[in-house]
Amino acid sequence: MAEPGPAGPQPSGPALLPALSSAGPRERAEEGKPDLVQEDDNSGSDYGSRDKPGSALGRTVPDGNVLFPDIFRTDHLLFYERFKAYQDYILADCKASEVKEFTAEYLEKVLEPCGWQAVWHTNVFEVLVEVVDVEYTALKAVVKLSEPFLCESRDSTFTLECVQEILELKERKIPLQALWVVYDESGEFDQTALAVEHVRFFYQCIWRTWDEEEEDDFDYFVRCVEPRLRLHYDILEHRVPSGLVADYQNLLSQCEELYKKFLDVRNSISSSGSDSETENVSMVEGLKLYEKIEHLKQKLKLIENPLLRYVFGYQKYSGLQAKGLRPTGTKITHVVSSTMMSSLLQSLIRDKLCPESCGEELEIQFHNDPLAAVNACYEGDTVIICPGHYVVDGVFCIADSVELEGYGLPDDIVIEKRGEGDNFVDCTGANVRISSLKLVQHDAVEGILNVHYGKTTLENCVLQCETTGITVRISAELVMKNSDLYGAKGAGVEIYPGSTCTLLGNGIHHCKEGILIKNFLDEHYDIPKITMVNNMIHNNEGYGVVLVRPTVTSDLKDASAERTKGNTQPAQSSDGTACVEGFRQEELPGCVTDELELYEHGVICEQTDGNCKIADELGAISAKKSQMHKKRLSELGITEADDNLMSQEMFVSIVGNQFKWNGKGSFGTFLF
């Protein structure tokens, strides 16, 4: 079983997670009542320990105006504490269909059967109750109202009689996850409070109503619990972009809603028991719902998987609104300097601001903060940033066509991002230009530069990254020239489907991956246009360039069987480097079509030059997309179509790039 990584604060000392026993809960019951979060002596944590008198848990005062007694504070548990409880004591290696049984067996060992009080929480009221029995298999407690009667509700007419009536309707059985255990300083109910917390957290944050219907393997903890638990703590610790969190919650809500509809349709079919036309319609509706649910579940799993989370990506719709031209129609040059010396001003006037150099009279505004200068820009403005070290706590949102220009060498003009936040630079302008700047990123969740829409040109810049580097989203365009990018914990450059990316003479190094090209096989996506010339991609942990795409084994076999005949070799550049430029997928050179056959066996020819290897694979996937398109048209009864309509041209120019000292090689394909 995998050990938990640094998803939560980790205390020093001996290993916290002992090897998982293959014995189930019943066998482990003979070992005695487990201490839920008890660690080694040096770990500094002994929740539930019987070696010390008194409670080891904290206490908190319930919200509201009613003076309820204090309750145990259990919602602050660390990642490794929950991980150990679920792995070692509750779920172990159970199947999804056995979760409730294993949980019940665990509760039998640790939960006091009676004699403890709790606050019963609902959406309408909170009331103090006393537990008189526990139905372990149902995960419910049998309760009675405590004396004196304490209740708080949003409805002033809610009385003791109303609560008693509700309890009678529920046969006095309340789900354990709706109970918050009242604090007891003796320590007798510590493990009871923790057990209730683990059940509550599991069914609120981990369990999905469809889990039981998936493949009933013995790896439910590894397959579902661990990745969801890690995602929960990554979100708590601001390691996941807010946009991706919103996408995940939206996908989860959609999936739950569709699953409820699917269950209703399925139940209606099973109850009718006839072969009527209505039942046939219901079956078709059920199949459509099932396909939609499976699609959403796949997306959820991608986000839950820390390795695939950023590969999946998300479409972030930026709320940036362009200002357009000033009402007066004027364009302003903004000059940024922390201090303005007379010599610096003279140089600026000579080089940048005099009418002779720019050809027209200029209106100038001075700032000491580059972020304030950018926020003051309208369409067509220019920002000149003088040498200095600028620390900003905010996001550069560039929605108009403006130019940011450093006056000097990049290493002399440093803009450093401080403070937690998703973004550093967001570009949606039609034509944004950034040059001669050094951008330094800290405490980030997203990449250093996001091009959402429009065209952004980056020239002679240095980018010191924190997470991912530059992201070129769908339909956006990036031109990056003579720049240096390093330090990304993800990819240095992420290229989305339908985008245009031109990389000329750059250095991309010391990143997780150099360049990541995201899957464009989906029918909704256009093929990206990629140009890479004379770049130096080196010392990256993984590949220099990696293509992410889904596994389509059967389709690849079909593509291989129908591949174009011929043995035309790609053109050779002057230095002998193989390259492919401007080809169409219907007329692929032999080295491209042969790549399909190579990928059937998972083999890439190591003797092939890195430049040709990248172009070949992109061409092969382009051909695959064309074949998928033709297949869809054929299914619709369209046997002939305009080539301009059917074929999306993939323009690739990959020439003269150097790939050195990358951990896994120049090029790889990540299948999911």
Side-chain angles (χ1 to χ4, degrees):
M1 193 70 67
E3 298 291 328
Q10 301 293 325
S12 60
L16 298 177
L17 299 175
L20 176 62
S21 169
S22 59
R26 292 196 185 278
E27 288 79 355
R28 286 201 302 271
E30 299 177 359
E31 300 173 9
K33 196 172 187 177
D35 291 338
L36 300 187
V37 198
Q38 184 177 357
E39 311 301 342
D40 295 328
D41 292 339
N42 296 334
S43 70
S45 175
D46 61 346
Y47 292 162
S49 173
R50 298 301 189 190
D51 297 333
K52 298 180 181 180
S55 174
L57 293 175
R59 63 200 297 172
T60 186
V61 180
D63 296 332
N65 299 319
V66 175
L67 295 178
F68 286 113
D70 291 357
I71 58 176
F72 282 104
R73 187 188 175 199
T74 55
D75 59 355
H76 66 300
L77 298 181
L78 302 179
F79 167 83
Y80 78 91
E81 293 173 316
R82 295 195 194 274
F83 185 100
K84 180 178 180 180
Y86 293 128
Q87 182 192 48
D88 289 358
Y89 300 122
I90 304 176
L91 301 176
D93 55 0
C94 73
K95 303 177 182 179
S97 60
E98 297 173 334
V99 165
K100 198 168 184 178
E101 177 189 350
F102 273 54
T103 303
E105 293 177 358
Y106 155 77
L107 292 175
E108 287 181 23
K109 299 198 294 276
V110 300
L111 200 66
E112 296 294 341
C114 60
W116 47 281
Q117 289 184 313
V119 178
W120 173 24
H121 284 253
T122 72
N123 294 328
V124 179
F125 64 86
E126 291 83 39
V127 64
L128 184 65
V129 297
E130 181 179 344
V131 175
V132 296
D133 195 10
V134 176
E135 291 193 359
Y136 298 103
T137 55
L139 306 183
K140 292 183 177 181
V142 181
V143 304
K144 66 177 183 179
L145 295 178
S146 295
E147 297 181 0
F149 173 67
L150 291 178
C151 178
E152 181 173 20
S153 70
R154 295 181 177 85
D155 186 350
S156 58
T157 62
F158 206 78
T159 62
L160 170 62
E161 289 72 22
C162 294
V163 178
Q164 288 177 331
E165 184 178 351
I166 292 174
L167 275 177
E168 292 301 328
L169 289 173
K170 292 180 173 290
E171 299 179 338
R172 299 188 175 273
K173 298 174 184 178
I174 307 301
L176 287 171
Q177 55 261 42
L179 300 178
W180 270 255
V181 181
V182 169
Y183 181 79
D184 185 287
E185 63 184 10
S186 69
E188 181 180 357
F189 299 113
D190 280 19
Q191 294 200 47
T192 293
L194 285 168
V196 172
E197 169 63 25
H198 288 313
V199 172
R200 175 168 44 248
F201 181 87
F202 177 79
Y203 282 101
Q204 286 182 352
C205 302
I206 305 296
W207 179 254
R208 308 285 183 255
T209 52
W210 53 81
D211 280 352
E212 280 188 312
E213 300 201 13
E214 292 200 344
E215 295 180 9
D216 208 10
D217 298 330
F218 279 90
D219 61 349
Y220 178 71
F221 179 86
V222 174
R223 183 165 49 91
C224 296
V225 178
E226 183 178 354
R228 292 171 187 170
L229 184 62
R230 289 185 184 280
L231 175 62
H232 177 85
Y233 276 89
D234 283 345
I235 292 173
L236 285 182
E237 294 164 13
H238 307 291
R239 297 179 179 180
V240 182
S242 57
L244 191 56
V245 175
D247 274 7
Y248 182 78
Q249 297 297 340
N250 184 46
L251 290 169
L252 191 58
S253 298
Q254 289 181 50
C255 200
E256 289 173 346
E257 183 179 348
L258 289 175
Y259 188 70
K260 289 178 183 177
K261 292 181 180 179
F262 173 75
L263 290 180
D264 291 340
V265 171
R266 188 173 66 179
N267 292 336
S268 67
I269 294 174
S270 59
S271 61
S272 64
S274 64
D275 293 331
S276 64
E277 182 178 347
T278 303
E279 182 177 350
N280 293 334
V281 172
S282 297
M283 290 183 66
V284 173
E285 182 184 356
L287 287 173
K288 289 181 179 179
L289 286 172
Y290 178 80
E291 290 178 357
K292 291 180 180 179
I293 292 168
E294 289 300 311
H295 183 65
L296 291 174
K297 282 160 61 176
Q298 181 66 18
K299 288 187 174 182
L300 288 170
K301 289 178 181 178
L302 288 173
I303 300 177
E304 289 165 357
N305 188 316
L307 296 176
L308 299 177
R309 186 173 301 159
Y310 300 102
V311 168
F312 165 68
Y314 64 100
Q315 181 60 48
K316 181 173 180 178
Y317 296 96
S318 178
L320 303 180
Q321 294 295 325
K323 298 178 183 177
L325 292 171
R326 281 184 178 79
T328 59
T330 59
K331 297 179 181 180
I332 293 178
T333 297
H334 305 263
V335 177
V336 180
S337 180
S338 53
T339 57
M340 180 59 70
M341 308 300 291
S342 59
S343 58
L344 176 60
L345 183 58
Q346 289 175 351
S347 299
L348 275 172
I349 292 174
R350 182 186 67 242
D351 299 336
K352 299 291 183 181
L353 305 179
C354 68
E356 290 78 11
S357 63
C358 60
E360 60 183 7
E361 192 70 23
L362 293 179
E363 181 178 342
I364 303 170
Q365 290 184 3
F366 291 91
H367 307 263
N368 59 11
D369 177 15
L371 187 57
V374 170
N375 291 338
C377 284
Y378 282 76
E379 182 80 13
D381 283 6
T382 299
V383 179
I384 298 175
I385 305 177
C386 298
H389 192 119
Y390 304 90
V391 178
V392 298
D393 189 359
V395 181
F396 287 90
C397 299
I398 308 175
D400 292 278
S401 296
V402 300
E403 181 174 353
L404 277 67
E405 177 185 353
Y407 181 54
L409 298 174
D411 286 335
D412 296 330
I413 308 159
V414 179
I415 302 177
E416 185 174 355
K417 172 78 161 60
R418 291 289 187 183
E420 289 188 0
D422 281 359
N423 307 326
F424 191 172
V425 182
D426 272 351
C427 296
T428 62
N431 190 11
V432 178
R433 298 182 64 88
I434 303 173
S435 61
S436 300
L437 297 176
K438 180 175 182 178
L439 305 180
V440 179
Q441 186 182 33
H442 295 290
D443 301 322
V445 179
E446 283 203 26
I448 198 166
L449 173 65
N450 280 279
V451 186
H452 297 283
Y453 312 107
K455 177 181 178 181
T456 296
T457 300
L458 196 70
E459 186 170 4
N460 194 32
C461 289
V462 177
L463 291 86
Q464 180 179 317
C465 306
E466 175 80 8
T467 52
T468 53
I470 300 174
T471 302
V472 193
R473 299 198 180 274
I474 296 171
S475 300
E477 180 177 358
L478 171 72
V479 178
M480 182 176 172
K481 303 177 184 177
N482 304 321
S483 296
D484 192 45
L485 184 153
Y486 60 92
K489 294 184 177 67
V493 179
E494 288 188 0
I495 303 173
Y496 274 67
S499 63
T500 301
C501 186
T502 302
L503 305 175
L504 307 173
N506 303 289
I508 301 174
H509 55 98
H510 294 93
C511 302
K512 175 76 172 179
E513 310 283 352
I515 298 169
L516 187 147
I517 304 170
K518 299 210 173 191
N519 166 48
F520 54 84
L521 269 179
D522 192 291
E523 62 180 300
H524 302 295
Y525 295 152
D526 292 330
I527 297 174
K529 294 179 173 60
I530 301 170
T531 301
M532 291 173 54
V533 179
N534 296 333
N535 299 284
M536 181 67 171
I537 303 173
H538 64 96
N539 289 103
N540 296 291
E541 182 180 338
Y543 293 102
V545 177
V546 61
L547 172 65
V548 178
R549 61 181 178 85
T551 305
V552 282
T553 307
S554 60
D555 290 340
L556 281 176
K557 288 181 178 179
D558 293 340
S560 177
E562 298 172 6
R563 66 184 182 273
T564 306
K565 296 181 180 180
N567 195 33
T568 305
Q569 296 299 321
Q572 297 288 328
S573 63
S574 58
D575 60 356
T577 301
C579 64
V580 178
E581 183 171 354
F583 59 78
R584 299 172 65 89
Q585 60 266 55
E586 282 83 14
E587 299 174 356
L588 295 174
C591 68
V592 174
T593 53
D594 289 344
E595 196 74 20
L596 286 168
E597 186 173 7
L598 289 175
Y599 267 92
E600 283 186 70
H601 303 89
V603 178
I604 299 177
C605 181
E606 295 297 331
Q607 285 71 31
T608 306
D609 180 82
N611 291 271
C612 185
K613 189 184 299 182
I614 298 167
D616 288 356
E617 175 63 7
L618 295 179
I621 301 302
S622 175
K624 175 63 192 169
K625 185 175 178 69
S626 175
Q627 290 163 355
M628 291 170 64
H629 192 184
K630 290 178 181 177
K631 184 177 180 181
R632 283 192 294 271
L633 291 176
S634 177
E635 290 172 351
L636 294 172
I638 302 173
T639 57
E640 295 182 4
D642 183 3
D643 283 347
N644 292 329
L645 175 67
M646 286 183 56
S647 62
Q648 300 180 69
E649 180 174 301
M650 174 148 192
F651 181 85
V652 179
S653 177
I654 301 183
V655 183
N657 303 285
Q658 298 184 55
F659 302 89
K660 295 184 178 180
W661 309 300
N662 296 296
K664 296 182 179 179
S666 61
F667 177 74
T669 301
F670 190 95
L671 302 177
F672 66 92

